[in-house]
Amino acid sequence: MHVRLLVVEDEARMAAALARGLEAEGFVVDVAPDGPSGLEAARFGSYDAVVLDVMLPGMSGYTVVRTLRSEENWVPVLMLTAKDGEYDEADGLDYGADDYLTKPFSFVVLLARLRALLRREPTRRPALLTVGPVTLDPASHRVEQHGEEVQLSRREFLVLEHLMRAHPTVVSKESVLDAVWGAPDEADPNIVEVYVGYLRRKLGRDRIETVRGVGYRLAP
């Protein structure tokens, strides 16, 4: 039985090279060129694993993997990115990726990481996120504080989810933009302050701490 892989990569040469290399190793490979098409393919394609770039047109890889996990889709995901640093890696893993590889990378290493993923049982993430009195359900998009439901807009919900997954670490404005808006170069960083303000009004001013020069952290 053939192992089916999905490669979500917008750089045409990179995508073609990955597909050729993986097919030479005996995999059946499909390629998606952007975030929305990659998400749809991963939802309905019955793949054994997904190789997912972070910076994608239309929707970031972070958003793709977070959406899949919120829908209880546990397909193994190996994220690829030109970015590096421990916070970028933590973002990918916190959103539900199973492994992380920084460009440029060795195809031999990618192949070894991919085969290791295929040998694992999919890691199920907790259905609920809880920090102090706040509970967030990614599947139902429901938030409660002290047992009472808090009504949030879609963007407010996603900002809060990002803060809760990162807790107790600090998240930067750029990290929030990338995770929630998916195209940080096209969004005004000040929009993050606006949405943090909305959340403070609904959850309490002390619920979200500002760490000057760094970003935001959810208080326990």
Side-chain angles (χ1 to χ4, degrees):
M1 183 175 180
H2 292 295
V3 176
R4 299 187 67 230
L5 303 178
L6 173 65
V7 173
V8 188
E9 170 61 67
D10 64 312
E11 296 179 16
R13 290 183 180 179
M14 172 68 77
L18 284 173
R20 285 196 303 270
L22 292 169
E23 287 168 350
E25 294 293 327
F27 297 105
V28 175
V29 182
D30 291 333
V31 175
D34 55 49
S37 62
L39 176 60
E40 287 303 296
R43 276 171 166 162
F44 305 114
S46 299
Y47 293 100
D48 296 287
V50 177
V51 179
L52 176 66
D53 192 24
V54 169
M55 303 302 291
L56 293 166
M59 178 186 296
S60 75
Y62 293 145
T63 302
V64 172
V65 71
R66 182 185 61 212
T67 303
L68 290 173
R69 298 315 188 223
S70 72
E71 296 171 352
E72 299 191 1
N73 184 324
W74 308 108
V75 61
V77 173
L78 173 63
M79 297 199 82
L80 303 178
T81 180
K83 301 168 71 175
D84 58 12
E86 59 181 338
Y87 288 107
D88 296 318
E89 181 173 354
D91 282 342
L93 298 177
D94 282 345
Y95 283 131
D98 298 277
D99 203 355
Y100 193 98
L101 201 56
T102 302
K103 298 176 182 177
F105 54 83
S106 160
F107 180 76
V108 173
V109 173
L110 179 141
L111 193 60
R113 296 276 191 92
L114 196 52
R115 284 176 169 157
L117 282 186
L118 291 167
R119 289 193 295 268
R120 294 184 202 167
E121 287 293 325
T123 302
R124 291 183 176 269
R125 300 276 163 161
L128 299 178
L129 301 174
T130 301
V131 177
V134 180
T135 300
L136 181 148
D137 185 340
S140 67
H141 278 237
R142 181 183 177 92
V143 173
E144 292 184 356
Q145 182 169 233
H146 298 295
E148 298 290 331
E149 185 172 4
V150 180
Q151 297 292 336
L152 299 181
S153 70
R154 176 177 174 274
R155 297 283 193 192
E156 291 167 352
F157 183 93
L158 293 175
V159 172
L160 179 61
E161 181 183 7
H162 186 57
L163 290 168
M164 292 184 75
R165 289 191 184 278
H167 181 79
T169 60
V170 179
V171 297
S172 66
K173 287 183 181 179
E174 292 75 16
S175 175
V176 177
L177 283 172
D178 193 30
V180 177
W181 278 265
D185 293 337
E186 300 174 10
D188 183 350
N190 291 327
I191 195 67
V192 177
E193 294 180 21
V194 172
Y195 275 84
V196 167
Y198 293 159
L199 288 172
R200 283 173 169 157
R201 284 198 287 274
K202 294 183 177 183
L203 300 173
R205 292 199 59 82
D206 295 336
R207 185 60 56 209
I208 301 174
E209 303 171 348
T210 297
V211 180
R212 292 193 178 279
V214 183
Y216 301 99
R217 175 173 53 210
L218 197 65

